[in-house]
Each structure stands twice: as structure tokens, then as C-alpha cells.
Amino acid sequence: MGTIDEMKRQIEETREELNQLVLTEKYEDYYAVSQKMDALIEAYIEAQDLAVA
């Protein structure tokens, strides 16, 4: 998926997207982006675990 730094950047961008969607009350879109955020965080945690191991 990329480097850990790239994953951090993607998570920050997705967080900002979620913040904007909350303000617009586009909840269907919010849910989809929230699912994306969950996947990014899971991948980030797995990459961190691999880097430590």
C-alpha cells in the first residue's frame, strides 16, 4: 500500500474529508469515507506491526 509516511498522509487527508462531509450533512458520503478511513487505519497498524517485528 505504500510507506508508513504515505499512509499517514492518506489518513490525514481522509480525516479532513470526513470533517468537511460532517459540515455538509452528506451522511451517505460520510459513511463511505468513514469505511475508507477504517481500512487505512487498519493497514497503517499492520504496517507498524511489521516494521517493529
Side-chain angles (χ1 to χ4, degrees):
M1 176 170 209
T3 66
I4 291 175
D5 289 335
E6 174 65 18
M7 288 181 197
K8 285 182 190 179
R9 186 188 62 72
Q10 289 177 347
I11 290 169
E12 289 300 322
E13 288 175 359
T14 304
R15 181 178 300 148
E16 182 60 32
E17 187 177 354
L18 284 172
N19 288 341
Q20 294 302 314
L21 286 170
V22 166
L23 297 175
T24 62
E25 297 182 5
K26 294 181 178 179
Y27 296 115
E28 293 82 16
D29 295 339
Y30 182 90
Y31 180 75
V33 175
S34 180
Q35 294 293 89
K36 175 183 173 184
M37 174 70 103
D38 290 346
L40 287 169
I41 291 172
E42 285 179 31
Y44 175 79
I45 291 170
E46 289 174 8
Q48 288 263 322
D49 288 345
L50 291 173
V52 172

Short mmCIF file of all heavy atoms in Angstrom, two decimals:
data_model
loop_
_atom_site.label_atom_id
_atom_site.label_comp_id
_atom_site.label_asym_id
_atom_site.label_seq_id
_atom_site.Cartn_x
_atom_site.Cartn_y
_atom_site.Cartn_z
N MET A 1 0.82 -1.20 0.00
CA MET A 1 0.00 0.00 0.00
C MET A 1 0.86 1.26 0.00
O MET A 1 0.40 2.31 -0.35
CB MET A 1 -0.94 -0.02 1.19
CG MET A 1 -1.76 1.24 1.31
SD MET A 1 -3.03 1.10 2.52
CE MET A 1 -4.18 2.23 1.80
N GLY A 2 2.10 1.14 0.37
CA GLY A 2 2.98 2.30 0.39
C GLY A 2 3.71 2.39 1.70
O GLY A 2 3.60 1.52 2.56
N THR A 3 4.45 3.45 1.85
CA THR A 3 5.21 3.62 3.07
C THR A 3 4.31 4.07 4.20
O THR A 3 3.19 4.54 3.99
CB THR A 3 6.33 4.66 2.86
OG1 THR A 3 5.72 5.94 2.64
CG2 THR A 3 7.22 4.31 1.69
N ILE A 4 4.84 3.94 5.39
CA ILE A 4 4.08 4.37 6.57
C ILE A 4 3.80 5.87 6.50
O ILE A 4 2.71 6.33 6.83
CB ILE A 4 4.83 3.97 7.85
CG1 ILE A 4 4.80 2.44 8.00
CG2 ILE A 4 4.22 4.65 9.07
CD1 ILE A 4 5.59 1.88 9.15
N ASP A 5 4.77 6.65 6.04
CA ASP A 5 4.55 8.09 5.92
C ASP A 5 3.45 8.41 4.91
O ASP A 5 2.65 9.32 5.12
CB ASP A 5 5.85 8.80 5.51
CG ASP A 5 6.87 8.82 6.63
OD1 ASP A 5 6.46 8.74 7.81
OD2 ASP A 5 8.07 8.93 6.33
N GLU A 6 3.40 7.65 3.82
CA GLU A 6 2.35 7.84 2.82
C GLU A 6 0.98 7.49 3.43
O GLU A 6 -0.01 8.17 3.18
CB GLU A 6 2.62 6.97 1.58
CG GLU A 6 1.53 6.99 0.55
CD GLU A 6 1.31 8.34 -0.12
OE1 GLU A 6 2.20 9.20 -0.06
OE2 GLU A 6 0.23 8.52 -0.71
N MET A 7 0.95 6.44 4.22
CA MET A 7 -0.30 6.06 4.88
C MET A 7 -0.77 7.16 5.83
O MET A 7 -1.96 7.47 5.88
CB MET A 7 -0.12 4.75 5.64
CG MET A 7 0.00 3.56 4.75
SD MET A 7 0.19 2.09 5.79
CE MET A 7 0.83 0.95 4.61
N LYS A 8 0.17 7.73 6.58
CA LYS A 8 -0.18 8.83 7.49
C LYS A 8 -0.80 9.99 6.71
O LYS A 8 -1.79 10.58 7.13
CB LYS A 8 1.05 9.33 8.23
CG LYS A 8 1.53 8.45 9.32
CD LYS A 8 2.74 9.11 9.98
CE LYS A 8 3.45 8.22 10.94
NZ LYS A 8 4.62 8.88 11.52
N ARG A 9 -0.19 10.30 5.56
CA ARG A 9 -0.70 11.41 4.74
C ARG A 9 -2.11 11.10 4.26
O ARG A 9 -3.00 11.97 4.31
CB ARG A 9 0.23 11.65 3.55
CG ARG A 9 -0.16 12.87 2.72
CD ARG A 9 0.65 12.97 1.44
NE ARG A 9 0.44 11.84 0.54
CZ ARG A 9 -0.67 11.63 -0.18
NH1 ARG A 9 -1.68 12.46 -0.07
NH2 ARG A 9 -0.79 10.59 -0.98
N GLN A 10 -2.34 9.88 3.82
CA GLN A 10 -3.67 9.49 3.34
C GLN A 10 -4.70 9.55 4.47
O GLN A 10 -5.84 9.97 4.26
CB GLN A 10 -3.64 8.10 2.73
CG GLN A 10 -2.92 8.04 1.42
CD GLN A 10 -2.84 6.62 0.87
OE1 GLN A 10 -3.12 5.65 1.56
NE2 GLN A 10 -2.47 6.51 -0.40
N ILE A 11 -4.30 9.14 5.66
CA ILE A 11 -5.21 9.19 6.80
C ILE A 11 -5.57 10.64 7.12
O ILE A 11 -6.74 10.96 7.36
CB ILE A 11 -4.59 8.48 8.03
CG1 ILE A 11 -4.56 6.96 7.78
CG2 ILE A 11 -5.36 8.82 9.30
CD1 ILE A 11 -3.75 6.17 8.78
N GLU A 12 -4.58 11.52 7.12
CA GLU A 12 -4.86 12.94 7.39
C GLU A 12 -5.78 13.55 6.34
O GLU A 12 -6.69 14.30 6.66
CB GLU A 12 -3.55 13.73 7.47
CG GLU A 12 -2.74 13.42 8.71
CD GLU A 12 -3.48 13.71 10.00
OE1 GLU A 12 -4.21 14.72 10.08
OE2 GLU A 12 -3.33 12.91 10.95
N GLU A 13 -5.54 13.23 5.07
CA GLU A 13 -6.41 13.73 4.00
C GLU A 13 -7.84 13.21 4.16
O GLU A 13 -8.81 13.95 3.98
CB GLU A 13 -5.87 13.33 2.64
CG GLU A 13 -4.62 14.08 2.24
CD GLU A 13 -4.02 13.58 0.93
OE1 GLU A 13 -4.56 12.63 0.33
OE2 GLU A 13 -3.00 14.15 0.52
N THR A 14 -7.96 11.95 4.50
CA THR A 14 -9.29 11.35 4.67
C THR A 14 -9.99 11.95 5.88
O THR A 14 -11.19 12.21 5.85
CB THR A 14 -9.18 9.83 4.80
OG1 THR A 14 -8.48 9.32 3.66
CG2 THR A 14 -10.54 9.18 4.89
N ARG A 15 -9.24 12.22 6.94
CA ARG A 15 -9.83 12.85 8.13
C ARG A 15 -10.37 14.22 7.78
O ARG A 15 -11.48 14.60 8.20
CB ARG A 15 -8.77 12.97 9.24
CG ARG A 15 -9.33 13.60 10.51
CD ARG A 15 -8.31 13.68 11.60
NE ARG A 15 -7.86 12.33 11.91
CZ ARG A 15 -6.63 12.04 12.32
NH1 ARG A 15 -5.74 12.98 12.48
NH2 ARG A 15 -6.30 10.81 12.60
N GLU A 16 -9.63 14.98 7.00
CA GLU A 16 -10.10 16.31 6.58
C GLU A 16 -11.36 16.18 5.72
O GLU A 16 -12.31 16.96 5.87
CB GLU A 16 -9.01 17.05 5.82
CG GLU A 16 -9.41 18.44 5.40
CD GLU A 16 -9.77 19.35 6.55
OE1 GLU A 16 -9.20 19.22 7.65
OE2 GLU A 16 -10.67 20.20 6.36
N GLU A 17 -11.38 15.19 4.84
CA GLU A 17 -12.57 14.94 4.01
C GLU A 17 -13.78 14.62 4.89
O GLU A 17 -14.89 15.13 4.66
CB GLU A 17 -12.29 13.80 3.04
CG GLU A 17 -13.37 13.58 2.03
CD GLU A 17 -13.03 12.48 1.03
OE1 GLU A 17 -11.89 11.97 1.04
OE2 GLU A 17 -13.92 12.14 0.24
N LEU A 18 -13.58 13.80 5.91
CA LEU A 18 -14.67 13.48 6.84
C LEU A 18 -15.16 14.73 7.56
O LEU A 18 -16.37 14.92 7.72
CB LEU A 18 -14.22 12.44 7.87
CG LEU A 18 -14.11 11.01 7.38
CD1 LEU A 18 -13.46 10.14 8.44
CD2 LEU A 18 -15.47 10.46 7.00
N ASN A 19 -14.24 15.57 8.00
CA ASN A 19 -14.62 16.81 8.68
C ASN A 19 -15.50 17.68 7.79
O ASN A 19 -16.48 18.27 8.26
CB ASN A 19 -13.38 17.58 9.12
CG ASN A 19 -12.66 16.92 10.26
OD1 ASN A 19 -13.21 16.10 10.97
ND2 ASN A 19 -11.40 17.28 10.44
N GLN A 20 -15.15 17.77 6.51
CA GLN A 20 -15.95 18.57 5.59
C GLN A 20 -17.31 17.95 5.34
O GLN A 20 -18.32 18.67 5.24
CB GLN A 20 -15.19 18.75 4.26
CG GLN A 20 -13.93 19.57 4.40
CD GLN A 20 -14.19 20.95 4.96
OE1 GLN A 20 -15.10 21.65 4.54
NE2 GLN A 20 -13.38 21.35 5.93
N LEU A 21 -17.37 16.63 5.24
CA LEU A 21 -18.65 15.96 4.99
C LEU A 21 -19.62 16.11 6.16
O LEU A 21 -20.83 16.21 5.96
CB LEU A 21 -18.43 14.49 4.66
CG LEU A 21 -17.85 14.22 3.28
CD1 LEU A 21 -17.45 12.75 3.15
CD2 LEU A 21 -18.85 14.59 2.19
N VAL A 22 -19.09 16.15 7.36
CA VAL A 22 -19.97 16.35 8.53
C VAL A 22 -20.66 17.70 8.43
O VAL A 22 -21.85 17.83 8.71
CB VAL A 22 -19.17 16.24 9.85
CG1 VAL A 22 -19.95 16.77 11.02
CG2 VAL A 22 -18.78 14.80 10.11
N LEU A 23 -19.91 18.69 8.00
CA LEU A 23 -20.49 20.03 7.90
C LEU A 23 -21.56 20.12 6.82
O LEU A 23 -22.50 20.91 6.94
CB LEU A 23 -19.38 21.05 7.60
CG LEU A 23 -18.31 21.19 8.68
CD1 LEU A 23 -17.21 22.13 8.20
CD2 LEU A 23 -18.92 21.69 9.98
N THR A 24 -21.45 19.33 5.77
CA THR A 24 -22.43 19.37 4.69
C THR A 24 -23.60 18.42 4.92
O THR A 24 -24.56 18.43 4.16
CB THR A 24 -21.78 19.00 3.34
OG1 THR A 24 -21.29 17.67 3.41
CG2 THR A 24 -20.66 19.96 3.00
N GLU A 25 -23.50 17.59 5.96
CA GLU A 25 -24.54 16.62 6.30
C GLU A 25 -24.81 15.62 5.17
O GLU A 25 -25.93 15.17 4.99
CB GLU A 25 -25.82 17.32 6.74
CG GLU A 25 -25.63 18.14 7.99
CD GLU A 25 -26.90 18.81 8.48
OE1 GLU A 25 -27.98 18.56 7.91
OE2 GLU A 25 -26.81 19.57 9.46
N LYS A 26 -23.78 15.28 4.42
CA LYS A 26 -23.89 14.25 3.38
C LYS A 26 -23.52 12.91 4.01
O LYS A 26 -22.41 12.42 3.87
CB LYS A 26 -22.98 14.58 2.20
CG LYS A 26 -23.37 15.82 1.47
CD LYS A 26 -22.45 16.08 0.30
CE LYS A 26 -22.90 17.32 -0.45
NZ LYS A 26 -22.01 17.62 -1.57
N TYR A 27 -24.47 12.35 4.74
CA TYR A 27 -24.18 11.20 5.57
C TYR A 27 -23.88 9.93 4.78
O TYR A 27 -23.08 9.11 5.24
CB TYR A 27 -25.30 10.97 6.58
CG TYR A 27 -25.41 12.14 7.54
CD1 TYR A 27 -26.54 12.94 7.55
CD2 TYR A 27 -24.37 12.46 8.39
CE1 TYR A 27 -26.63 14.02 8.41
CE2 TYR A 27 -24.45 13.55 9.25
CZ TYR A 27 -25.59 14.32 9.26
OH TYR A 27 -25.67 15.39 10.10
N GLU A 28 -24.47 9.77 3.62
CA GLU A 28 -24.15 8.59 2.81
C GLU A 28 -22.69 8.64 2.36
O GLU A 28 -21.97 7.65 2.41
CB GLU A 28 -25.07 8.48 1.59
CG GLU A 28 -26.52 8.21 1.92
CD GLU A 28 -27.29 9.47 2.30
OE1 GLU A 28 -26.81 10.60 2.03
OE2 GLU A 28 -28.37 9.32 2.89
N ASP A 29 -22.26 9.83 1.94
CA ASP A 29 -20.87 10.02 1.54
C ASP A 29 -19.95 9.87 2.76
O ASP A 29 -18.87 9.29 2.66
CB ASP A 29 -20.66 11.40 0.91
CG ASP A 29 -21.41 11.56 -0.40
OD1 ASP A 29 -21.77 10.54 -1.01
OD2 ASP A 29 -21.64 12.71 -0.80
N TYR A 30 -20.39 10.41 3.89
CA TYR A 30 -19.60 10.32 5.12
C TYR A 30 -19.35 8.86 5.48
O TYR A 30 -18.23 8.49 5.84
CB TYR A 30 -20.32 11.03 6.27
CG TYR A 30 -19.54 11.00 7.56
CD1 TYR A 30 -18.64 12.00 7.85
CD2 TYR A 30 -19.69 9.96 8.48
CE1 TYR A 30 -17.90 11.98 9.02
CE2 TYR A 30 -18.96 9.92 9.64
CZ TYR A 30 -18.07 10.94 9.92
OH TYR A 30 -17.34 10.90 11.07
N TYR A 31 -20.37 8.04 5.37
CA TYR A 31 -20.24 6.62 5.71
C TYR A 31 -19.20 5.95 4.82
O TYR A 31 -18.34 5.20 5.29
CB TYR A 31 -21.58 5.91 5.60
CG TYR A 31 -21.49 4.44 5.94
CD1 TYR A 31 -21.37 4.03 7.26
CD2 TYR A 31 -21.51 3.48 4.94
CE1 TYR A 31 -21.27 2.70 7.58
CE2 TYR A 31 -21.41 2.13 5.26
CZ TYR A 31 -21.29 1.75 6.57
OH TYR A 31 -21.19 0.42 6.88
N ALA A 32 -19.25 6.22 3.52
CA ALA A 32 -18.30 5.62 2.58
C ALA A 32 -16.87 6.04 2.90
O ALA A 32 -15.95 5.22 2.91
CB ALA A 32 -18.66 5.99 1.15
N VAL A 33 -16.67 7.31 3.18
CA VAL A 33 -15.33 7.81 3.50
C VAL A 33 -14.89 7.27 4.86
O VAL A 33 -13.71 6.98 5.07
CB VAL A 33 -15.29 9.35 3.45
CG1 VAL A 33 -13.94 9.89 3.90
CG2 VAL A 33 -15.59 9.84 2.04
N SER A 34 -15.83 7.11 5.77
CA SER A 34 -15.51 6.54 7.08
C SER A 34 -15.00 5.11 6.94
O SER A 34 -14.04 4.70 7.62
CB SER A 34 -16.74 6.59 7.98
OG SER A 34 -16.46 6.04 9.24
N GLN A 35 -15.61 4.35 6.04
CA GLN A 35 -15.17 2.98 5.77
C GLN A 35 -13.75 3.00 5.19
O GLN A 35 -12.92 2.16 5.54
CB GLN A 35 -16.12 2.29 4.79
CG GLN A 35 -17.50 2.06 5.34
CD GLN A 35 -17.51 1.07 6.48
OE1 GLN A 35 -17.35 1.43 7.63
NE2 GLN A 35 -17.67 -0.18 6.15
N LYS A 36 -13.49 3.95 4.31
CA LYS A 36 -12.14 4.11 3.74
C LYS A 36 -11.14 4.41 4.85
O LYS A 36 -10.05 3.85 4.87
CB LYS A 36 -12.16 5.24 2.70
CG LYS A 36 -10.80 5.56 2.12
CD LYS A 36 -10.89 6.74 1.16
CE LYS A 36 -9.53 7.20 0.71
NZ LYS A 36 -9.61 8.39 -0.15
N MET A 37 -11.52 5.29 5.77
CA MET A 37 -10.64 5.66 6.88
C MET A 37 -10.34 4.43 7.73
O MET A 37 -9.19 4.21 8.12
CB MET A 37 -11.29 6.74 7.74
CG MET A 37 -10.50 7.08 8.99
SD MET A 37 -8.97 7.93 8.65
CE MET A 37 -9.47 9.56 9.07
N ASP A 38 -11.34 3.62 8.01
CA ASP A 38 -11.13 2.39 8.78
C ASP A 38 -10.11 1.49 8.11
O ASP A 38 -9.21 0.96 8.77
CB ASP A 38 -12.44 1.64 8.97
CG ASP A 38 -13.41 2.34 9.91
OD1 ASP A 38 -13.00 3.28 10.61
OD2 ASP A 38 -14.59 1.95 9.91
N ALA A 39 -10.23 1.32 6.80
CA ALA A 39 -9.30 0.47 6.06
C ALA A 39 -7.89 1.04 6.09
O ALA A 39 -6.90 0.30 6.25
CB ALA A 39 -9.77 0.30 4.62
N LEU A 40 -7.76 2.36 5.95
CA LEU A 40 -6.45 2.99 6.01
C LEU A 40 -5.79 2.80 7.37
O LEU A 40 -4.60 2.49 7.47
CB LEU A 40 -6.56 4.49 5.70
CG LEU A 40 -6.83 4.88 4.26
CD1 LEU A 40 -7.19 6.36 4.16
CD2 LEU A 40 -5.62 4.56 3.39
N ILE A 41 -6.58 2.96 8.42
CA ILE A 41 -6.04 2.81 9.77
C ILE A 41 -5.62 1.37 10.03
O ILE A 41 -4.56 1.12 10.61
CB ILE A 41 -7.04 3.32 10.83
CG1 ILE A 41 -7.17 4.85 10.71
CG2 ILE A 41 -6.62 2.91 12.23
CD1 ILE A 41 -8.26 5.45 11.55
N GLU A 42 -6.43 0.43 9.58
CA GLU A 42 -6.07 -0.98 9.74
C GLU A 42 -4.76 -1.30 9.01
O GLU A 42 -3.88 -1.96 9.56
CB GLU A 42 -7.18 -1.88 9.22
CG GLU A 42 -8.38 -1.95 10.13
CD GLU A 42 -9.47 -2.84 9.57
OE1 GLU A 42 -9.15 -3.82 8.85
OE2 GLU A 42 -10.64 -2.58 9.85
N ALA A 43 -4.62 -0.80 7.79
CA ALA A 43 -3.39 -1.03 7.02
C ALA A 43 -2.20 -0.37 7.70
O ALA A 43 -1.10 -0.94 7.75
CB ALA A 43 -3.56 -0.50 5.61
N TYR A 44 -2.41 0.80 8.25
CA TYR A 44 -1.35 1.52 8.95
C TYR A 44 -0.88 0.73 10.18
O TYR A 44 0.32 0.56 10.40
CB TYR A 44 -1.85 2.91 9.35
CG TYR A 44 -0.87 3.68 10.19
CD1 TYR A 44 0.22 4.33 9.59
CD2 TYR A 44 -1.02 3.79 11.56
CE1 TYR A 44 1.12 5.04 10.34
CE2 TYR A 44 -0.11 4.50 12.32
CZ TYR A 44 0.95 5.13 11.71
OH TYR A 44 1.85 5.84 12.48
N ILE A 45 -1.82 0.22 10.95
CA ILE A 45 -1.48 -0.55 12.15
C ILE A 45 -0.73 -1.82 11.77
O ILE A 45 0.28 -2.16 12.40
CB ILE A 45 -2.75 -0.87 12.97
CG1 ILE A 45 -3.29 0.42 13.60
CG2 ILE A 45 -2.46 -1.92 14.04
CD1 ILE A 45 -4.66 0.27 14.22
N GLU A 46 -1.19 -2.49 10.74
CA GLU A 46 -0.49 -3.69 10.27
C GLU A 46 0.93 -3.37 9.81
O GLU A 46 1.87 -4.10 10.11
CB GLU A 46 -1.28 -4.36 9.15
CG GLU A 46 -2.55 -5.01 9.62
CD GLU A 46 -3.41 -5.55 8.48
OE1 GLU A 46 -2.94 -5.55 7.32
OE2 GLU A 46 -4.55 -5.95 8.76
N ALA A 47 1.09 -2.27 9.10
CA ALA A 47 2.42 -1.87 8.63
C ALA A 47 3.32 -1.53 9.80
O ALA A 47 4.52 -1.87 9.80
CB ALA A 47 2.31 -0.67 7.68
N GLN A 48 2.77 -0.88 10.82
CA GLN A 48 3.54 -0.56 12.02
C GLN A 48 4.00 -1.84 12.71
O GLN A 48 5.15 -1.94 13.13
CB GLN A 48 2.70 0.26 12.99
CG GLN A 48 2.46 1.68 12.55
CD GLN A 48 3.44 2.63 13.20
OE1 GLN A 48 3.78 2.46 14.35
NE2 GLN A 48 3.87 3.61 12.46
N ASP A 49 3.10 -2.81 12.81
CA ASP A 49 3.43 -4.08 13.45
C ASP A 49 4.55 -4.79 12.68
O ASP A 49 5.47 -5.35 13.27
CB ASP A 49 2.21 -5.00 13.53
CG ASP A 49 1.20 -4.51 14.57
OD1 ASP A 49 1.55 -3.66 15.41
OD2 ASP A 49 0.05 -5.00 14.53
N LEU A 50 4.48 -4.77 11.35
CA LEU A 50 5.51 -5.39 10.54
C LEU A 50 6.85 -4.67 10.67
O LEU A 50 7.91 -5.30 10.65
CB LEU A 50 5.08 -5.45 9.08
CG LEU A 50 3.94 -6.41 8.75
CD1 LEU A 50 3.52 -6.24 7.29
CD2 LEU A 50 4.33 -7.85 9.04
N ALA A 51 6.80 -3.36 10.78
CA ALA A 51 8.04 -2.59 10.91
C ALA A 51 8.72 -2.86 12.24
O ALA A 51 9.94 -2.84 12.31
CB ALA A 51 7.72 -1.09 10.76
N VAL A 52 7.94 -3.11 13.27
CA VAL A 52 8.50 -3.37 14.59
C VAL A 52 9.03 -4.78 14.70
O VAL A 52 10.03 -5.04 15.35
CB VAL A 52 7.44 -3.10 15.69
CG1 VAL A 52 7.94 -3.54 17.05
CG2 VAL A 52 7.05 -1.63 15.70
N ALA A 53 8.37 -5.72 14.01
CA ALA A 53 8.74 -7.14 14.11
C ALA A 53 10.06 -7.46 13.49
O ALA A 53 10.75 -6.95 12.83
CB ALA A 53 7.67 -8.00 13.47
#
